[in-house]
Amino acid sequence: QVQLVESGGGLVQTGGSLRLSCAASGRTFSSHAMGWFRQAPGKEREFVAAISRGGSLTTYADSVKGRFTISRDNAKNTVYLQMNSLKPEDTAVYICARAAGTRSFATFRASNEYDAWGQGTQVTVSS
């Protein structure tokens, strides 16, 4: 069973930046697309960004497009989320996830397309 462990969250002022990391266990990391989701208090979990297994394709939620960048290092079994120009509405627990499928050149936005989830890391943006 794969384990996903996020790190890099914290408290930052509006306009600041954070870089989240998600380290995956196991030998199949490069066979799966990966994604980041977030969940704010009292709200549904929402899609943030996804990256294909090889890293050539990425997709973003409209709310973060142009501010966030997802990337991966398959040699290190790690996926990243660089977050710039942070806003108070970005405050949430950020959770990384592994897509169930192993199709190449594909990204996934729906949470039911993911079969493994991390515990999450808290990001708080103060105004």
Side-chain angles (χ1 to χ4, degrees), residues 1-9 19-26 29 34-37 71 73 76-81 93-98 116-122:
Q1 182 75 7
V2 66
Q3 288 190 323
L4 303 173
V5 180
E6 301 94 337
S7 61
R19 188 194 195 204
L20 306 184
S21 299
C22 172
S25 64
F29 178 76
M34 297 293 293
W36 284 97
F37 291 76
S71 61
D73 185 338
K76 295 183 178 179
N77 277 19
T78 302
V79 61
Y80 305 97
L81 186 68
V93 174
Y94 283 72
I95 307 160
C96 77
R98 187 191 75 171
W117 298 82
Q119 292 297 309
T121 185
Q122 176 70 47

Side-chain angles (χ1 to χ4, degrees), residues 36-58:
W36 284 97
F37 291 76
R38 66 186 182 186
Q39 187 164 18
K43 295 188 176 182
E44 295 288 321
R45 183 170 55 193
E46 65 172 352
F47 169 78
V48 175
I51 188 166
S52 61
R53 53 185 280 185
S56 61
L57 293 181
T58 58

